[in-house]
Amino acid sequence: MTAPITALAQAGTSVWLDDLSRQRLRSGNLAEVIRTKGVVGVTTNPAIFKQAMSVGTAYDEQIAQLAQQGVPAESAVFAMATDDVRDACDLFQEIHRDTDGKDGWVSLEVDPRLANDRDATVTQARELAETVDRDNIMIKIPATEDCLPAITGVLGAGISVNVTLIFSVARYTQVVQAFIDGIAEARHNGHDISKIRSVASFFISRVDTEIDARLDTATAAAEAAGEKKDFSDLKGKAGIANARLAYDAFSRAFGDSPVWQELAQAGAHVQRPLWASTSVKNAAYPDTLYVTELAGPDTVNTMPEDTLDATIDHAEVAGDTLTGTADDARQVFEKLAAAGIDLADVWEVLEAQGVDKFVSSWEELLGTLDQQLTKA
């Protein structure tokens, strides 16, 4: 591994790649990334598969076969995605084995249109896990209110889960409870809970994008009212502060809960926070901002390859930058509230946007595949 990736590992942060395509698999690129860049897992989402399946020729042969079988676009998407994920799981099996199941995971998301349907989410999660049929598959489930029981149900069935689209600490605490309930349910159902793993994917850059825009609006409103107020010093701070508060909640949730301590003694593993959306959206910010400032024990950082390459090239990893940071993070949010930022509205907007973006990507992909199947 390169020095920055080694430093992250020493701080307790596993590096996963936020991307997957058949071209990566067939060309040997993913195997090379694993070997040379220290990547120990992969995450996918509807936007990633939209990009992978809508360009190039890597899927043409399978699309032709599926067309001959009369397979509709929705089934074709999952046929191709599960094949890719299964092959990726095989590439990560050695890492999965060598880390005793801590890393080596590949995530596959349920249909984002099911974000408000608990029963359908559980059913599809089971189907996807059975279809991939690998012990290092994680099923991604959104952290919407309606899907919180689905998280518990899927974990209770002995399936590892990546909980995605988490924006607020309040929702994160609900996710943690859903996880603990799920592990307890799995134990009750006779599953080996030492084999079940989970991560809670907390989105970072989207928080800054939304709050930075609101800070600009607040500054402009103050100027229009003749008030000398400039909130620009708060820009680019909310995403990191939010994640640090989540990490503090993580430390307390798994450190203080008697229920969890009993499960841990039975072999259960903590649900690690995973930092997602870690590429900066503002070019004025350092391109490794959401890497170096969010390193610490029991965490995962999933990066697009540009962010991964920037990290390898010039990131200055200074060890654990999470532990003991909660008080400073709270001060950031106190200042945001004083600036008039409606944080409850921010979290609601971000979750709705997150679901909508994935649904849009999914529906665009289905439309593209429907055309390809018709022509094949």
Side-chain angles (χ1 to χ4, degrees):
M1 287 190 289
T2 65
I5 303 301
T6 298
L8 285 171
Q10 290 172 343
T13 300
S14 297
V15 173
W16 293 4
L17 179 68
D18 193 29
D19 192 47
L20 181 64
S21 69
R22 189 157 297 179
Q23 177 60 29
R24 277 193 186 276
L25 290 160
R26 286 184 173 177
S27 67
N29 171 267
L30 182 57
E32 183 178 356
V33 167
I34 294 169
R35 181 176 60 83
T36 64
K37 297 184 179 182
V39 166
V40 292
V42 157
T43 52
T44 68
N45 60 47
I48 286 172
F49 278 123
K50 172 182 173 291
Q51 175 63 25
M53 295 180 184
S54 300
V55 299
T57 60
Y59 296 91
D60 286 359
E61 181 179 351
Q62 188 171 13
I63 288 173
Q65 293 172 350
L66 293 168
Q68 287 182 347
Q69 298 166 13
V71 174
E74 187 171 329
S75 299
V77 168
F78 281 115
M80 294 190 292
T82 52
D83 283 353
D84 286 355
V85 167
R86 186 184 305 108
D87 289 344
C89 283
D90 289 343
L91 279 178
F92 282 100
Q93 273 293 351
E94 184 175 352
I95 290 172
H96 188 254
R97 181 177 62 252
D98 291 347
T99 60
D100 195 25
K102 180 179 181 181
D103 287 309
W105 293 95
V106 182
S107 296
L108 175 62
E109 190 160 348
V110 296
D111 187 331
R113 296 172 299 179
L114 304 180
N116 298 312
D117 191 330
R118 182 259 185 200
D119 291 339
T121 295
V122 172
T123 297
Q124 189 172 89
R126 287 173 174 265
E127 291 173 351
L128 292 175
E130 290 172 1
T131 300
V132 174
D133 193 26
R134 295 293 186 273
D135 59 2
N136 56 334
I137 173 68
M138 270 188 183
I139 302 302
K140 288 181 82 171
I141 299 174
T144 58
E145 188 171 359
D146 289 327
C147 275
L148 290 171
I151 294 164
T152 297
V154 174
L155 287 163
I159 298 169
S160 294
V161 172
N162 177 340
V163 184
T164 189
L165 289 177
I166 306 173
F167 295 97
S168 72
V169 176
R171 179 52 54 83
Y172 171 67
T173 59
Q174 293 178 301
V175 168
V176 171
Q177 188 58 56
F179 164 75
I180 292 175
D181 291 345
I183 296 299
E185 187 175 307
R187 185 186 185 195
H188 175 77
N189 291 338
H191 296 288
D192 181 354
I193 59 175
S194 71
K195 303 297 184 183
I196 305 171
R197 297 278 185 160
S198 183
V199 293
S201 295
F202 215 82
F203 280 52
I204 312 301
S205 67
R206 294 189 193 183
V207 172
D208 276 337
T209 298
E210 180 67 23
I211 290 182
D212 283 1
R214 296 188 185 213
L215 288 169
D216 285 339
T217 299
T219 297
E223 290 177 354
E227 301 175 0
K228 294 183 178 180
K229 293 181 179 179
D230 184 355
F231 302 112
S232 60
D233 62 325
L234 290 173
K235 293 175 67 175
K237 294 184 177 180
I240 290 170
N242 198 40
R244 287 174 170 174
L245 289 177
Y247 188 76
D248 181 64
F250 157 76
S251 300
R252 288 183 284 106
F254 291 103
D256 299 338
S257 167
V259 173
W260 174 252
Q261 293 305 322
E262 180 181 345
L263 291 170
Q265 290 175 6
H269 304 280
V270 297
Q271 180 188 54
R272 290 189 290 171
L274 179 149
W275 313 129
S277 185
T278 55
S279 60
V280 297
K281 304 301 187 288
N282 187 332
Y285 301 155
D287 54 4
T288 61
L289 178 67
Y290 303 132
V291 177
T292 59
E293 297 304 309
L294 296 175
D298 292 313
T299 60
V300 178
N301 196 308
T302 185
M303 311 176 194
E305 195 163 13
D306 286 349
T307 303
L308 174 62
D309 288 342
T311 298
I312 291 170
D313 181 65
H314 54 259
E316 297 181 4
V317 180
D320 182 355
T321 51
L322 288 169
T323 305
T325 60
D327 287 343
D328 288 343
R330 290 189 189 95
Q331 290 180 19
V332 170
F333 278 92
E334 288 171 3
K335 292 177 181 178
L336 289 170
I341 304 301
D342 185 344
L343 292 168
D345 184 64
V346 168
W347 309 137
E348 184 176 343
V349 165
L350 285 173
E351 182 177 291
Q353 286 179 347
V355 172
D356 288 347
K357 286 178 181 178
F358 281 166
V359 168
S360 178
S361 292
W362 194 251
E363 291 181 341
E364 288 177 19
L365 173 57
L366 291 177
T368 299
L369 278 181
D370 188 60
Q371 294 177 3
Q372 292 174 327
L373 288 164
T374 301
K375 293 177 181 178

